[in-house]
């Protein structure tokens, strides 16, 4: 993947404007066998031939913030949620094109993680409020004079709750049952959920029984396990659907 992919554009909110690929580069030949399409890592080579615009669109649909930074934390690229996190500044923020954490100790930890990634090592760092940032090396960057690293930010609460919304809609849950579902997914007990919703514990238990019946789950343990496997969705999906309604 070319270095141009990670060109940062603050005016575009993290979307880079990239040169178009030649037509012959946009797809794998139809005559290629499956074994030829798969590279040694088991991934499809076709992705490497996809247009840059499509790749950027795919990155923007992920529910994780993605940043590409240089060894001195200079920002090269941010996807949509990554740029949003930098604007909010809850965990990371941008200061003169350098990614900074909320305090000096967290910034130092982030810098160590980036240094390790530039040397080819994977890691995970805990920053403010228990938020975690994964740091990964980028293939081909290690031998560059100014290597860069990939940062994947903690999945936000908005993306988790969005998955619950679609799960609830798919199973015909009521708004109250959806609220109970969200509380259970947060690790709250039935009693704690009842307190949150300002209702009787027996009422909350009735909601739980209804949820289990509608979702065909035998118990709460299986239900919460199922919630943990929901597809990761970008919060703006819901915004687009609301606008189209």
């Amino acid at each position: 993947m070319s270095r141009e992919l990670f060109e940062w554009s603050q005016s575009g909110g993290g979307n880079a404007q990239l040169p178009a690929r030649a037509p012959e580069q946009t797809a794998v030949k139809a005559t290629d066998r499956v074994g030829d399409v798969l590279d040694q890592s088991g991934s499809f080579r076709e992705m490497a031939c996809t247009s840059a615009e499509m790749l950027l669109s795919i990155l923007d649909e992920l529910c994780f913030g993605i940043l590409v930074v240089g060894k001195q934390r200079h920002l090269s690229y941010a996807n949509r949620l990554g740029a949003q996190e930098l604007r909010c500044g809850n965990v990371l923020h941008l200061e003169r094109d350098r990614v900074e954490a909320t305090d000096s100790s967290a910034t130092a930890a982030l810098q160590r993680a980036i240094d390790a990634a530039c040397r080819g090592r994977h890691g995970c760092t805990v920053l403010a409020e228990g938020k975690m940032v994964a740091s990964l090396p980028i293939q081909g960057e290690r031998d560059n004079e100014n290597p860069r690293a990939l940062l994947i930010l903690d999945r936000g609460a908005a993306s988790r709750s969005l998955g619950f919304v679609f799960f609830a809609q798919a199973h015909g849950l009521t708004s109250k049952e959806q609220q109970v579902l969200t509380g259970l997914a947060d690790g709250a007990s039935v009693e704690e959920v009842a307190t949150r919703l300002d209702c009787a514990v027996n009422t909350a238990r009735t909601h739980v029984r209804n949820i289990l019946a509608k979702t065909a789950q035998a118990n709460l343990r299986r239900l919460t396990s199922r919630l943990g496997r929901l597809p990761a969705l970008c919060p703006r999906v819901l915004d687009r659907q609301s606008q189209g309604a």
Side-chain angles (χ1 to χ4, degrees):
M1 191 173 293
S2 66
R3 293 179 67 90
E4 287 84 357
L5 174 60
F6 301 115
E7 180 182 351
W8 166 249
S9 172
Q10 285 183 304
S11 61
N15 291 320
Q17 297 298 320
L18 306 177
R21 293 181 183 273
E24 62 272 15
Q25 291 181 301
T26 58
V28 174
K29 293 180 180 178
T31 55
D32 283 352
R33 296 173 301 170
V34 172
D36 294 331
V37 174
L38 290 172
D39 63 19
Q40 292 181 351
S41 67
S43 59
F44 281 98
R45 285 207 323 265
E46 185 174 356
M47 285 302 297
C49 303
T50 305
S51 69
E53 290 79 8
M54 181 180 290
L55 287 175
L56 289 172
S57 177
I58 291 171
L59 291 174
D60 277 343
E61 293 300 331
L62 299 179
C63 77
F64 298 92
I66 294 178
L67 309 177
V68 175
V69 297
K71 198 169 184 180
Q72 300 303 319
R73 304 193 311 283
H74 291 287
L75 184 66
S76 295
Y77 169 80
N79 71 342
R80 187 178 300 272
L81 288 188
Q84 180 179 317
E85 173 59 42
L86 293 174
R87 292 190 196 99
C88 293
N90 295 328
V91 179
L92 299 174
H93 64 276
L94 203 59
E95 190 171 313
R96 294 185 179 180
D97 89 342
R98 283 166 60 101
V99 176
E100 303 283 347
T102 53
D103 56 60
S104 57
S105 61
T107 298
L110 179 65
Q111 182 65 63
R112 289 192 294 271
I114 293 171
D115 290 341
C118 289
R119 295 194 301 270
R121 301 187 63 179
H122 296 68
C124 201
T125 304
V126 180
L127 299 177
E129 301 178 0
K131 295 284 187 177
M132 302 189 74
V133 175
S135 51
L136 295 82
I138 299 174
Q139 185 176 2
E141 286 287 314
R142 184 177 178 182
D143 298 328
N144 289 334
E145 183 179 350
N146 297 305
R148 289 175 287 187
L150 175 67
L151 301 180
I152 302 179
L153 309 184
D154 199 346
R155 182 177 170 186
S159 60
R160 287 193 293 269
S161 61
L162 179 58
F164 300 156
V165 169
F166 285 105
F167 182 79
Q169 290 177 351
H171 292 88
L173 302 187
T174 67
S175 59
K176 279 294 183 182
E177 289 167 351
Q178 182 178 322
Q179 292 175 38
V180 171
L181 184 74
T182 302
L184 295 173
D186 288 341
S189 66
V190 176
E191 291 76 13
E192 290 170 335
V193 169
T195 301
R196 289 186 188 182
L197 300 182
D198 192 25
C199 68
V201 174
N202 285 340
T203 301
R205 286 175 179 159
T206 298
H207 287 314
V208 171
R209 285 195 295 270
N210 291 338
I211 293 170
L212 294 176
K214 290 180 179 180
T215 59
Q217 300 298 315
N219 51 51
L220 281 178
R221 181 176 59 83
R222 291 191 177 182
L223 175 63
T224 53
S225 175
R226 177 69 185 88
L227 294 176
R229 301 194 305 273
L230 290 177
L233 299 170
C234 178
R236 73 191 186 101
V237 170
L238 196 60
D239 295 336
R240 289 202 301 267
Q241 289 194 350
S242 298
Q243 293 171 2

